[in-house]
Amino acid sequence: MPTRQELANAIRALTMDAIQIPNSGHPGAPMGMADIAEVLYNDFMKHNPSNPNWADRDRFIMSNGHGSMMPYSVLHLTGYDLSTDDLKAFRQLHSKTPGHPEYGYTAGIETTTGPLGQGITNAVGFALAEKVMSAQFNKEGHDIVDHNTWVFLGDGCLMEGISHEACSLAGSFGLGKLICFYDDNNISIDGNVDGWFADDTPKRFEAYGWQVISVDGHNADEIKAATEQAKAETEKPTMICCKTVIGKGAPNKEGGHHVHGEALGLDEIAATRKALNWSHAPFEIPADVYAGWDAKEAGAAAESAWDEKFAAYAAAYPTEAAEFNRRMAGDLPADWTEHADKFIAEVNENAPTQATRISSKMSLNGFSPLLPEFLGGSADLTPSNNTFSETSVKINDNNGSKEMNFAGNYISYGVREFGMSAIMNGVTLHGGLLPYGATFLMFSEYARNALRMAALMKIQSIFVYTHDSIGLGEDGPTHQAVEQIPTLRMIPNMSVWRTCDAVETAVSWRAAIEKKNGPSCLIYSRQNLAHQNRTDEQIANIAKGGYILKDTDGTPDAIVIATGSEVDLAMQAAEASDKNVRVVSMPATDVFEAQDADYKESVLPASVTARVAVEAATPDGWYKYVGLNGKVIGMTTFGESAPAPELFKYFGFTVENVVSAINEVA
């Protein structure tokens, strides 16, 4: 039987050999954390390489994702569908081993961890989801949700501000099944971090309410004892601070910053083989080392034991078992379509003039009774965002109590827009819950990279943004979003809905709930917006992202395209104009673009080149629809502080100005 050191050295060997082929990568962290990985996977990790999606598996997140060769090596060694040839294709086009762990590329990779700090924050979401799902489904004697979330992270993750947002919240939540291993090697790309990262990390995490343990990161006995202590602490997350040597085993480069992000080179690889007493050829792993790592038999046994446990649960609680399976599969209830159709029809019949943020709450009240998987929340703006529905139950109360009700479905995230958004991504990836989280649209800027990661991973997180333009008024330009909507539309895979009334708002929520292959941004107003009368066909066409709201007899003289609060303005201008004007409401440009050519031509016929777009946001994206000779009434400056009606008039969002634009193009 190989020693622990020999098992760990297999990671080091695969790491340096794989990175050398493209002469690109980060060998330092995988080689430095190899001993920790060996203990974790061979003594604690509950997983099944033959079924990477087993519901009650432990989740592992490599937050310092530049060290991707560590998880790739471990997945290969333990028996996942990741071959030696896959390792040899490291960082190559369409390989299973890209430069950072990428969700969807490699079985066993739970989340994409490129930007530092988001991995640990996703992990808080994973652990939170486990806590909520266990509270919602477990019964006495039937713990069908019972797994850990394990994280590797480095100095860079802890320097990023998002780690403060997430780890502070994890301490407040008491996420006892979240266990992190900090690769404390004092090195980043620029060199020794003591000159720019002098935090007392143990005290920092103790202040958050974490259990903190410090160990020698190359001593397997200490690592194992610390991990057992971490598992025994059920009321606090644990940070195990592991003092390590970056690039451990490379005799001439270990401990220095060059090994962080540069291939070792053939000479240093040869020297490392000698120093490690690793005499095997590149990518050659002895049979006994493979046997020492192989987790297929133990993983199958663990899953089989859980299957028996779940069968007993299903016999005792058949309704709950069926609901658990539905939610983990990501399926909607059987009567979802009928219910959604009926609700939207009712909204159309009774829609008042109101802010779309109020309409959003009305939609939540209508849809949430069918969706116990909802996990809502807001970044300290619940009363303004209107995200607390009639079925919402607070997990963390606002009465000063530290008691948590994890059977609930609503979170006060505090002022943590970025942390909230990345935590939501972890919740989504865990499965069984559908998160939505809200803030003002302006503060999507703080959350932007988490939105990008949701879109990159094509996962169903729902981001709710209210106070969508200069229409929020007196708070002024710091809070008035003008460039956010166009730039959100530029994110691939992201659906961006800006709705004009309660009916469009209900359709936007339905679309976000039904979209399984990417996130959605739902953008709503502070100010009241008038209800628009529609036919049944028009209501159906809202879901196509853009549709004719007001048409003409015969070919239009001009087309006015608008979104959100500007749709009613467009309708008024069309009525006031002496031209034959078609009004197109386009709440979601990406959804409209996904329609077939015939539908798009029917809405925006190429023969009608006289076009005007109206939106209280920066105008550049609209020239795609109006052409270079069209007119866009938008925001070319930041806003001002004043009542909303004054601002709309000041910046040209008036009937007279839209009519003038129509006359210019027609």
Side-chain angles (χ1 to χ4, degrees):
M1 181 69 183
T3 65
R4 284 191 181 275
Q5 191 67 58
E6 289 170 322
L7 294 174
N9 285 345
I11 295 175
R12 296 184 171 102
L14 289 173
T15 292
M16 63 185 185
D17 291 337
I19 289 173
Q20 191 60 42
I21 292 176
N23 196 28
S24 173
H26 298 74
M31 296 178 73
M33 300 192 81
D35 300 301
I36 308 167
E38 188 279 321
V39 172
L40 173 61
Y41 271 84
N42 285 320
D43 290 49
F44 297 99
M45 188 75 181
K46 182 177 70 171
H47 65 125
N48 183 3
S50 300
N51 183 12
N53 297 318
W54 166 34
D56 201 43
R57 68 191 181 279
D58 285 355
R59 272 64 166 181
F60 173 80
I61 290 88
M62 186 83 180
S63 188
N64 45 345
H66 51 269
S68 60
M69 271 309 303
M70 197 291 295
Y72 296 153
S73 298
V74 170
L75 293 172
H76 169 76
L77 291 166
T78 55
Y80 284 77
D81 181 21
L82 198 67
S83 68
T84 300
D85 286 341
D86 291 325
L87 300 183
K88 292 178 179 179
F90 180 60
R91 291 195 163 205
Q92 302 307 298
L93 184 64
H94 302 315
S95 79
K96 293 182 181 180
T97 51
H100 289 74
E102 300 281 352
Y103 175 73
Y105 286 66
T106 317
I109 297 297
E110 302 284 2
T111 183
T112 299
T113 51
L116 293 175
Q118 288 204 58
I120 172 58
T121 310
N122 292 165
V124 172
F126 277 102
L128 174 62
E130 193 277 344
K131 193 90 168 178
V132 172
M133 289 289 285
S134 64
Q136 291 182 359
F137 283 100
N138 288 354
K139 306 291 184 182
E140 186 174 352
H142 297 276
D143 292 336
I144 61 166
V145 181
D146 183 15
H147 52 266
N148 288 95
T149 301
W150 308 94
V151 186
F152 280 12
L153 74 163
D155 292 307
C157 295
L158 296 182
M159 282 187 260
E160 291 285 2
I162 191 174
S163 71
H164 166 75
E165 297 184 29
C167 296
S168 169
L169 197 55
S172 297
F173 282 150
L175 299 178
K177 292 182 181 177
L178 175 63
I179 302 173
C180 302
F181 297 86
Y182 165 35
D183 183 25
D184 183 12
N185 59 35
N186 281 87
I187 295 293
S188 66
I189 291 174
D190 277 0
N192 190 295
V193 302
D194 287 346
W196 52 86
F197 186 52
D199 300 16
D200 188 329
T201 297
K203 287 184 179 178
R204 170 186 168 186
F205 277 83
E206 286 171 358
Y208 290 152
W210 288 51
Q211 174 181 224
V212 179
I213 309 167
S214 297
V215 300
D216 177 348
H218 303 299
N219 185 312
D221 291 338
E222 288 189 24
I223 298 165
K224 182 176 181 179
T227 308
E228 289 172 342
Q229 182 180 340
K231 287 198 69 174
E233 173 54 75
T234 60
E235 302 300 320
K236 297 179 179 180
T238 296
M239 178 65 70
I240 303 176
C241 298
C242 304
K243 200 64 186 174
T244 59
V245 176
I246 191 170
K248 177 72 171 175
N252 302 303
K253 294 190 175 184
E254 67 177 17
H257 68 277
H258 292 294
V259 77
H260 171 92
E262 298 176 8
L264 295 185
L266 295 177
D267 289 344
E268 185 67 6
I269 286 176
T272 303
R273 278 188 153 76
K274 184 176 180 181
L276 296 177
N277 195 27
W278 187 267
S279 60
H280 316 290
F283 298 100
E284 179 184 313
I285 304 295
D288 62 341
V289 173
Y290 269 129
W293 274 104
D294 191 349
K296 293 192 292 293
E297 183 177 344
E303 183 174 357
S304 179
W306 183 83
D307 288 341
E308 292 181 10
K309 183 185 296 186
F310 188 79
Y313 177 84
Y317 303 99
T319 301
E320 290 84 349
E323 180 69 3
F324 179 85
N325 284 332
R326 178 189 73 79
R327 286 170 53 173
M328 289 304 295
D331 295 333
L332 288 167
D335 56 348
W336 165 255
T337 299
E338 178 184 358
H339 179 91
D341 288 343
K342 180 180 178 182
F343 173 72
I344 291 170
E346 290 172 351
V347 171
N348 185 56
E349 291 175 5
N350 304 293
T353 293
Q354 61 185 15
T356 48
R357 62 173 175 157
I358 306 297
S359 300
S360 172
K361 184 171 183 175
M362 188 166 69
S363 295
L364 280 170
N365 288 337
F367 291 138
S368 61
L370 245 65
L371 299 171
E373 56 263 49
F374 262 157
L375 184 65
S378 174
D380 204 47
L381 289 168
T382 295
S384 295
N385 297 147
N386 285 274
T387 41
F388 193 82
S389 75
E390 291 173 355
T391 61
S392 294
V393 177
K394 294 177 181 177
I395 287 176
N396 48 346
D397 211 334
N398 60 359
N399 61 5
S401 171
K402 293 185 178 181
E403 295 297 319
M404 300 286 167
N405 175 22
F406 287 102
N409 61 3
Y410 192 88
I411 299 168
S412 292
Y413 284 97
V415 187
R416 297 181 175 96
E417 297 90 353
F418 192 7
M420 172 184 72
S421 303
I423 287 169
M424 287 166 54
N425 290 343
V427 170
T428 301
L429 289 161
H430 178 278
L433 296 165
L434 175 55
Y436 65 86
T439 185
F440 290 170
L441 176 58
M442 186 62 246
F443 305 131
S444 66
E445 289 295 316
Y446 283 168
R448 180 65 62 118
N449 204 261
L451 272 62
R452 183 179 187 271
M453 299 308 289
L456 183 66
M457 292 188 279
K458 301 180 181 179
I459 60 172
Q460 189 187 13
S461 296
I462 301 176
F463 304 104
V464 181
Y465 297 120
T466 67
H467 297 60
D468 68 343
S469 69
I470 58 172
L472 70 88
E474 291 86 347
D475 274 340
T478 60
H479 283 52
Q480 292 167 7
V482 295
E483 74 272 31
Q484 282 63 42
I485 297 169
T487 55
L488 289 171
R489 288 180 181 136
M490 293 169 64
I491 303 175
N493 306 323
M494 177 70 77
S495 287
V496 179
W497 291 84
R498 183 174 186 243
T499 61
C500 76
D501 66 2
V503 179
E504 284 191 0
T505 299
V507 172
S508 72
W509 266 106
R510 178 180 186 172
I513 290 164
E514 293 180 352
K515 182 179 180 181
K516 303 296 183 181
N517 62 348
S520 299
C521 291
L522 307 182
I523 298 175
Y524 302 129
S525 73
R526 179 194 186 195
Q527 73 273 26
N528 289 339
L529 305 182
H531 171 64
Q532 303 296 329
N533 294 316
R534 300 175 182 84
T535 65
D536 291 343
E537 182 181 4
Q538 287 175 313
I539 293 173
N541 285 340
I542 295 171
K544 296 179 180 179
Y547 64 102
I548 300 168
L549 183 60
K550 179 185 182 301
D551 211 357
T552 63
D553 294 329
T555 303
D557 296 326
I559 298 173
V560 179
I561 311 166
T563 76
S565 52
E566 289 69 69
V567 169
D568 188 57
L569 172 61
M571 293 289 281
Q572 293 181 51
E575 291 292 342
S577 174
D578 58 5
K579 309 288 187 181
N580 292 318
V581 178
R582 171 181 290 183
V583 176
V584 171
S585 178
M586 194 175 289
T589 58
D590 67 291
V591 178
F592 180 74
E593 288 300 321
Q595 305 307 311
D596 61 49
D598 288 345
Y599 179 76
K600 288 187 284 187
E601 173 67 17
S602 73
V603 176
L604 298 175
S607 61
V608 183
T609 58
R611 300 182 184 183
V612 176
V614 190
E615 185 176 61
T618 49
D620 293 15
W622 288 110
Y623 288 101
K624 175 179 182 178
Y625 296 106
V626 304
L628 294 179
N629 295 321
K631 296 283 291 184
V632 182
I633 299 173
M635 292 293 297
T636 57
T637 68
F638 292 110
E640 296 286 349
S641 181
E646 292 183 28
L647 291 173
F648 279 116
K649 182 178 180 179
Y650 178 78
F651 286 108
F653 295 93
T654 64
V655 171
E656 294 77 16
N657 199 31
V658 178
V659 170
S660 177
I662 293 169
N663 291 335
E664 286 185 48
V665 299

